[in-house]
């Protein structure tokens, strides 16, 4: 299995996990970061970046999204995932990935707001559930956390996977 396949598999797991659970656990972020560091250490980094570019990508990915977390606009898992993704991609590839992911998240939020404010047909009920994700309640029936609507890490991973397949061809 090549390191590019390992990265792609990690991205797929992140996409599925974030769409289903609307969170990214630390073990998943650490698995991706560890694999990226191992690829760098053994000189088999699939995207041709060096240590400086990888560490800069991790720092920029983590630091930039940390601002959104500080204002309560993003979850901590999204921030940590962006840092691990920066280790794989480097800062130069992270910028088009961010732009693509942000456009997908914007489309998601516009569609969610449209469906949220209107009664919808039964066929759209499943789409509304996909857009809002699971909403957990405690045993008393009160919400346990603020609902997380936008799975931003999933969109980052989806954009990164697309970038790996189509964007890096030159």
């Amino acid at each position: 299995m090549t390191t590019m396949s390992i990265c792609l598999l990690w991205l797929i797991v992140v996409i599925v996990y974030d769409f289903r659970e609307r969170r990214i656990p630390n073990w998943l972020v650490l698995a991706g970061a560890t694999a990226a560091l191992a690829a760098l250490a053994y000189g088999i980094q699939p995207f041709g970046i060096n240590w400086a570019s990888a560490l800069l990508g991790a720092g920029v990915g983590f630091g930039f999204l940390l601002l959104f977390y500080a204002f309560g606009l993003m979850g901590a898992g999204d921030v940590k995932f962006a840092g691990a993704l920066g280790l794989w991609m480097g800062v130069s590839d992270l910028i088009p990935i961010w732009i693509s992911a942000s456009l997908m998240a914007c489309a998601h939020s516009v569609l969610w707001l449209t469906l949220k404010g209107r009664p919808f047909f039964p066929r759209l009920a499943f789409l509304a559930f996909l857009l809002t994700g699971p909403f957990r309640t405690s045993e008393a029936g009160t919400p346990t956390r603020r609902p997380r609507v936008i799975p931003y890490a999933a969109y980052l991973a989806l954009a990164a996977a697309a970038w790996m397949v189509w964007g890096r061809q030159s």
Side-chain angles (χ1 to χ4, degrees):
M1 181 177 264
T2 66
T3 51
M4 188 169 299
S5 300
I6 291 169
C7 181
L8 190 58
L9 179 64
W10 175 63
L11 292 173
I12 291 169
V13 171
V14 167
I15 292 167
V16 170
Y17 204 99
D18 200 20
F19 269 117
R20 289 186 60 162
E21 299 293 325
R22 293 300 198 269
R23 65 183 204 86
I24 300 297
N26 289 335
W27 65 264
L28 190 53
V29 173
L30 286 173
T34 302
L37 290 172
L40 282 163
Y42 287 109
I44 53 174
Q45 211 285 337
F47 307 114
I49 63 170
N50 57 20
W51 278 96
S53 181
L55 293 175
L56 183 63
V60 169
F62 183 84
F64 183 71
L65 292 187
L66 189 61
L67 294 172
F68 292 95
Y69 173 74
F71 289 109
L73 301 172
M74 187 170 289
D78 299 328
V79 176
K80 292 179 274 188
F81 173 73
L85 185 62
L87 279 175
W88 276 107
M89 301 290 173
V91 73
S92 63
D93 286 347
L94 208 52
I95 293 169
I97 290 169
W98 266 339
I99 292 169
S100 300
S102 295
L103 290 173
M104 287 186 278
C106 179
H108 181 130
S109 64
V110 167
L111 187 57
W112 176 72
L113 287 171
T114 302
L115 289 175
K116 178 184 156 195
R118 298 196 167 106
F120 47 84
F121 298 103
R123 291 183 182 169
L124 293 179
F126 182 68
L127 179 61
F129 171 74
L130 287 177
L131 291 174
T132 58
F135 185 70
R136 294 177 177 80
T137 57
S138 67
E139 291 179 17
T142 58
T144 57
R145 61 175 170 83
R146 188 176 103 195
R148 296 179 181 156
V149 178
I150 308 297
Y152 193 69
Y155 288 128
L156 276 173
L158 190 60
W163 185 254
M164 286 172 58
V165 174
W166 294 292
R168 297 195 54 85
Q169 298 174 4
S170 45

